[in-house]
Amino acid sequence: MDRYTGILTGAFTALSAFFLCSEYEKKHAVLRTYRVESEALPASFDGLKVLFLSDLHNNHLGRKNERLIRIIEDARPDILLFGGDMITAKAWSKRDFSGLEEILRAFAGRIPMYYGNGNHESRIRTERDSYPDWYPAFKRLLKTYGVRHLMNSTEKIVRGEDTIRISGIDFTAKCYLAGAKRPLEKGYIEKRLGPKDGDYHIVLAHSPLYLHEFSEWGADLVLCGHFHGGTIRLPGLGGVMTPQFQFFNKYCKGMYTEGPATQITSGGLGTHSINIRIMNRPEAVLIRLGRKESL
Ligand SMILES: [Fe+2]
């Protein structure tokens, strides 16, 4: 083998390994767990197990998503939250909600489910010419399986004398443009969710870029996705690239705090457009809430 052939063979082998690893990762999810403690959490909710899913993008992890469903079953959650982009709406995509439906079908009537929109759900809501009938069909799907759809709205969860609240907020298309973070207009969160009251409050907020704003508003727990963990993750450097073409953004995946607010960004469960995951397994996120006693 001459030198030129050797280089070509090496490059081909490396590329093949890269794509094979990615294809394996994309179909094999993990469960990532967090514990979040707060003095604001009422005693009745101490130990609540929240299972959070985002950015499935109509992926199928095993036949009819059986591998993902098994992970959720084994985690034995009390509630199931969806952080958006469980579907894909791109110019080239067909209307196909089957990946989401497989999950909803598995847990309907067994676990309370709440759904907040991502940019793909917002897109089919606002771009009706490009996506005719998609949003009504999506709403019907959620209704069929008893999912509470939080579209700039809030619901109470009551246990005994205690209450917590959960909201879903939509961002405008501007917030999802490529490049640097676009600021939210003044009062954006309060206009959509109202003023924060005294209850412990979880917000489904697809974009992970607005922790500061949610902390100022008074959120206790902000659940995000959208960044797909940064596509490729490098040791010590984190996620390489987000779907908004930001590089090495610190909010790609993990837990962050600011003031009393905690944000958890899921690395998501799927891909679109750039269909690669390296050192970045799809993840279901289990959050165990704990009551922190005040000193
Ligand atoms: Fe997204």
Side-chain angles (χ1 to χ4, degrees), residues 55 85 119 206 226:
D55 299 270
D85 282 8
N119 50 310
H206 186 66
H226 185 51

Side-chain angles (χ1 to χ4, degrees), residues 184-204:
L184 291 182
E185 69 187 56
K186 197 168 161 35
Y188 185 94
I189 300 169
E190 190 159 324
K191 268 184 207 157
R192 282 153 183 82
L193 304 184
K196 166 76 163 60
D197 72 359
D199 289 339
Y200 185 87
H201 207 131
I202 301 171
V203 183
L204 300 172

Side-chain angles (χ1 to χ4, degrees), residues 55 57 84-85 118-120 176 206 225-228 243 272:
D55 299 270
H57 287 298
D85 282 8
N119 50 310
H120 287 248
Y176 293 116
H206 186 66
H226 185 51
F227 280 179
H228 303 178
H272 71 84

Side-chain angles (χ1 to χ4, degrees), residues 232 234 237-242 246-252:
I232 297 170
L234 300 177
L237 294 172
V240 173
M241 186 183 74
T242 77
Q246 296 137 331
F247 296 89
F248 299 103
N249 187 285
K250 73 170 182 174
Y251 294 112
C252 280

